[in-house]
Amino acid sequence: MKNKPRKKHTAPNTDKKRILITGNEAIGEAAVRAGCGFYAGYPITPQNELTAYMARRMSQERKIFIQAESEIAAINMVFGASSAGARSMTTSSSPGISLKQEGISYLAGAQLPAVIANVMRGGPGLGNIAPSQSDYFQATKGGGHGDYHLIALAPASVQECFDLTQLAFDLSDRYRNPAIILLDAFLGQMAEPIKITHQDTKTQGRKVKKEWALTGAAGRSPNVIRSFFLKDPGLEEHNLILQKKYERIKSKERRFEAFDIEDSDIIFVSYGIPFRIARQAAQRLRSEGIRAGLFRPVTLWPYPYQELEKACARKKAVFVFELSYGQMLEDVKLALGKDIPIYFYGRGGGGVFTEGELIRFAKTKIKSKP
Amino acid sequence: MKKKYTLPRSLKNVPTHYCGGCGHGIVHRIVAEVVDELKLREKIVAIAPVGCAVVAYDYWDFDCSESAHGRALAVATGIKRVRPDLIVFTYQGDGDLASIGTAETIHAANRGENLTCIFINNAVYGMTGGQMAPTTLVGQKTTTTPWGRSPEKGDGFPLKITEILAGLPGVAYAERTSVAKAQDVLKTKKAIKTAFINQIENKGFSIVEVLSQCPTIWGMTPNQAVKWVKEEMTKTFPLGRIK
């Protein structure tokens, strides 16, 4: 049969306690269940499964799916759908996310909610399609032009791909700010059993009243979606409003996970899949008598500086493990200053370290310490 | 005696920032009149471009969005798809629609998006001070073609994007008009009205290209400018219905 779809993407049977699903698909299913009304995407590996998943599931739900002509068009379609009040999403991988930066800056400037997922691959340039975390700076320190921040969430499991996508929609609506889900290709591609939560999709999108949306000026004065403020001091005032909002997010939305902090001598700091590798390494080190604790930021922006500082107080050393050449490392340094030795081990260009590599690295540094 | 000429409900009673003799004010008014006549004010959404018309929302009294340079039709697509009950139109200049936004323009049209596109062609980048536009005429002097646009030198030819769009099956209606004389202003109004009615009737993509004068950048008086539209621009961009 020629027209038979190659793969079925029907709504997962949620009667079952747990379902087996990939990270990419979990993000898609979470979006559908969060009441996402609009999705636009463009083909790029390693997130193609997500776009294909949305093509099927969004039409099943009678929601809008568009395969856009470019990443730029996709993010601007999201801009439009969001300005009309719909929960909206686009997803891509590193080079595609670079193309979306213009639109992301406009979303932030116009205070429009939107959810973006970046299934990170190796860079710079076309790079490769292997797992990487080298878009940390782009996601947390800007990316596009202007003084703005995205809410950046970093899942470390397929379950969290699901949970944090739903959280991303909620936070994005609440703060009228785009949110990005940052995961590496590993997590996007791998399957794990997860529990589907947030069943009540019908109410999700309606929790926040969007009085600013473009719905036709019936019975109210016209709404305008804008990020252009030419007359002095309009733009500075607008920026101060944004900065105030970012401070609010910073004080309220820092999320993290910490294990075995109390009795540990050293702390491993990591996020995403590297965190899982670091966890294995820490467990093995414990069995050898080296007491390692674990700290994992769940929100990369706002970064949990205070919590990391507290977790690392009076520890002998801190180790940062990343699939980059030290991007989150800068935030760890900001949190901890120079009082405590910080050792970094990372690999880029699609290279992934093993727990053995981390153990050897940690042991060398502990031994060489005066 | 009955008052014949009044301010349209959809147009705010404020002075515009447009230069004397500029065509934008005329087209803004036409849009407002058509919106009133079709009773669309409470369900219309305009997408303003990047260009001189970026603050069109200061003049139109209905819902508006800005868009990034060239992306108006992508933004309009997003709005129309999630709210098909709204009437959505873009208002774009030549640089926006036919240069930086060519991909968005062609693909929105090719998908047959049920949208109305008003395309203001004045053959220059006005807001940035008069650089060569995709629609700049051969020989026309701009700040980036100081000796005149020269296809031989690699400046390319005036891009007739409305003709290109008319070749796409998703396009329901394409017409080129001008606002250089009274009869043509009336024809422009008729064309814009048709383009909105098409959307109400779910006919697909409609584009109205309006040749518009830009005396300031062209270095002409308003009278010279309308003459230039009538005598020079229409040679490259003939008026009339294309599809």
Side-chain angles (χ1 to χ4, degrees):
Chain A
M1 264 172 34
K2 233 181 181 178
N3 292 328
K4 196 179 168 192
R6 276 184 299 179
K7 202 176 169 191
K8 277 189 180 163
H9 294 307
T10 46
N13 180 359
T14 46
D15 299 338
K16 281 195 229 162
K17 277 193 182 134
R18 302 212 292 175
I19 60 158
L20 187 67
I21 193 168
T22 66
N24 281 340
E25 291 167 338
I27 289 171
E29 188 58 30
V32 169
R33 283 168 193 264
C36 178
F38 184 91
Y39 175 95
Y42 183 86
I44 184 167
T45 309
Q47 65 85 55
N48 290 315
E49 300 78 11
L50 180 41
T51 313
Y53 192 85
M54 292 306 265
R56 186 166 292 272
R57 287 287 287 124
M58 290 296 273
S59 52
Q60 281 172 350
E61 300 286 327
R62 296 180 189 285
K63 301 285 170 58
I64 307 301
F65 168 89
I66 298 181
Q67 180 175 329
E69 64 269 29
S70 69
E71 302 284 6
I72 298 166
I75 192 77
N76 283 287
M77 288 174 186
V78 163
F79 183 102
S82 177
S83 71
R87 282 192 156 184
S88 309
M89 181 187 224
T90 183
T91 65
S92 189
S93 180
S94 310
I97 297 291
S98 293
L99 280 168
K100 290 187 198 292
Q101 292 304 323
E102 175 200 46
I104 292 173
S105 168
Y106 276 72
L107 283 163
Q111 297 207 71
L112 286 176
V115 175
I116 303 135
N118 179 2
V119 187
M120 289 180 284
R121 61 188 245 182
L126 196 52
N128 61 16
I129 57 170
S132 178
Q133 293 183 315
S134 50
D135 303 344
Y136 181 94
F137 285 154
Q138 187 195 50
T140 63
K141 310 290 177 197
H145 59 283
D147 272 311
Y148 74 92
H149 284 288
L150 301 179
I151 298 167
L153 303 167
S157 67
V158 175
Q159 181 69 58
E160 278 192 336
C161 285
F162 187 91
D163 296 341
L164 294 183
T165 299
Q166 300 220 319
L167 178 66
F169 276 102
D170 289 343
L171 293 179
S172 173
D173 271 356
R174 192 178 309 154
Y175 293 102
R176 287 186 63 183
N177 202 68
I180 190 162
I181 301 151
L182 211 59
L183 65 155
D184 55 82
F186 236 132
L187 197 48
Q189 296 287 321
M190 76 184 207
E192 286 185 313
I194 68 162
K195 199 163 165 38
I196 299 280
T197 48
H198 265 254
Q199 297 280 4
D200 188 13
T201 61
K202 294 283 184 281
T203 58
Q204 281 303 310
R206 294 181 201 152
K207 276 189 179 163
V208 177
K209 227 175 171 195
K210 298 179 175 175
E211 279 155 353
W212 44 265
L214 305 177
T215 53
R220 60 159 171 77
S221 51
N223 283 342
V224 175
I225 301 293
R226 65 189 294 184
S227 64
F228 183 64
F229 299 88
L230 197 57
K231 287 172 202 153
D232 199 49
L235 182 59
E236 189 170 13
E237 270 172 25
H238 177 65
N239 265 289
L240 289 172
I241 291 168
L242 295 182
Q243 291 303 319
K244 220 171 148 188
K245 175 171 81 175
Y246 300 146
E247 286 307 318
R248 212 161 67 235
I249 299 173
K250 275 196 227 169
S251 73
K252 284 188 174 167
E253 305 298 345
R254 296 189 308 272
R255 287 169 167 79
F256 70 102
E257 218 178 37
F259 298 98
D260 304 326
I261 299 290
E262 287 284 304
D263 71 338
S264 60
D265 298 315
I266 56 171
I267 302 288
F268 288 174
V269 187
S270 209
Y271 70 99
I273 282 294
F275 169 77
R276 309 240 316 234
I277 302 168
R279 190 166 61 190
Q280 295 295 326
Q283 279 167 6
R284 265 177 57 191
L285 283 171
R286 265 190 187 260
S287 67
E288 295 175 29
I290 298 170
R291 291 177 300 182
L294 291 150
F295 187 93
R296 174 194 153 225
V298 173
T299 49
L300 302 180
W301 196 91
Y303 197 83
Y305 293 112
Q306 295 92 324
E307 291 77 7
L308 178 62
E309 191 185 0
K310 206 175 147 205
C312 297
R314 292 179 303 278
K315 302 298 179 194
K316 286 178 184 149
V318 171
F319 290 80
V320 180
F321 302 126
E322 286 180 80
L323 296 184
S324 77
Y325 295 105
Q327 298 197 10
M328 183 186 70
L329 175 65
E330 295 194 359
D331 280 324
V332 174
K333 284 180 176 169
L334 271 178
L336 304 181
K338 289 184 174 170
D339 298 342
I340 181 167
I342 299 169
Y343 301 111
F344 173 76
Y345 187 78
R347 288 181 63 178
V352 179
F353 40 67
T354 62
E355 60 188 80
E357 270 176 86
L358 301 188
I359 288 166
R360 277 194 300 281
F361 178 79
K363 280 182 174 170
T364 323
K365 291 299 170 192
I366 295 164
K367 256 188 218 155
S368 68
K369 216 182 145 201
Chain B
M1 220 167 84
K2 205 182 165 203
K3 210 170 172 183
K4 282 255 180 165
Y5 194 79
T6 54
L7 189 77
R9 170 70 186 86
S10 295
L11 202 61
K12 291 179 191 168
N13 191 10
V14 293
T16 73
H17 74 290
Y18 298 120
C19 309
C22 169
H24 274 305
I26 303 171
V27 187
H28 278 21
R29 183 183 167 99
I30 289 174
V31 169
E33 284 178 3
V34 169
V35 166
D36 283 359
E37 285 164 23
L38 296 174
K39 297 190 168 52
L40 296 176
R41 201 190 77 83
E42 296 190 343
K43 58 181 205 167
I44 200 152
V45 175
I47 316 297
V50 170
C52 286
V54 58
V55 290
Y57 45 74
D58 283 346
Y59 313 131
W60 285 323
D61 198 15
F62 41 72
D63 278 11
C64 293
S65 177
E66 281 170 7
S67 64
H69 198 24
R71 321 297 173 216
L73 281 164
V75 173
T77 297
I79 296 175
K80 185 71 183 180
R81 289 290 192 103
V82 297
R83 287 294 306 269
D85 55 317
L86 298 175
I87 300 301
V88 184
F89 75 98
T90 66
Y91 184 99
Q92 301 174 260
D94 36 50
D96 195 83
L97 180 131
S99 187
I100 198 166
T102 314
E104 283 78 5
T105 304
I106 288 183
H107 286 277
N110 193 46
R111 286 189 302 268
E113 297 291 345
N114 190 27
L115 295 169
T116 302
C117 174
I118 298 166
F119 167 31
I120 308 297
N121 177 2
N122 60 12
V124 281
Y125 282 78
M127 198 197 210
T128 46
Q131 295 83 358
M132 179 182 75
T135 51
T136 292
L137 305 189
V138 171
Q140 185 184 339
K141 285 182 184 169
T142 69
T143 61
T144 50
T145 53
W147 297 281
R149 184 177 197 171
S150 163
E152 293 77 27
K153 276 200 216 157
D155 297 333
F157 296 89
L159 187 64
K160 297 164 98 172
I161 194 146
T162 308
E163 276 86 345
I164 295 172
L165 296 176
L168 303 174
V171 174
Y173 172 69
E175 179 150 2
R176 184 181 292 117
T177 64
S178 99
V179 284
K181 59 180 180 187
Q183 296 99 307
D184 287 345
V185 169
L186 294 176
K187 280 182 192 163
T188 300
K189 184 175 173 184
K190 202 174 153 220
I192 288 175
K193 200 166 188 175
T194 306
F196 277 118
I197 291 169
N198 284 347
Q199 188 179 158
I200 295 166
E201 294 175 353
N202 291 309
K203 285 192 177 157
F205 192 88
S206 296
I207 180 166
V208 179
E209 174 178 343
V210 184
L211 304 186
S212 178
Q213 47 278 10
C214 181
T216 302
I217 298 292
W218 295 350
M220 296 179 190
T221 65
N223 278 339
Q224 287 167 334
V226 291
K227 197 165 171 245
W228 196 75
V229 171
K230 286 186 278 192
E231 291 174 8
E232 297 301 322
M233 271 189 94
T234 50
K235 278 187 207 156
T236 304
F237 298 106
L239 303 183
R241 185 154 177 181
I242 301 164
K243 187 176 190 178

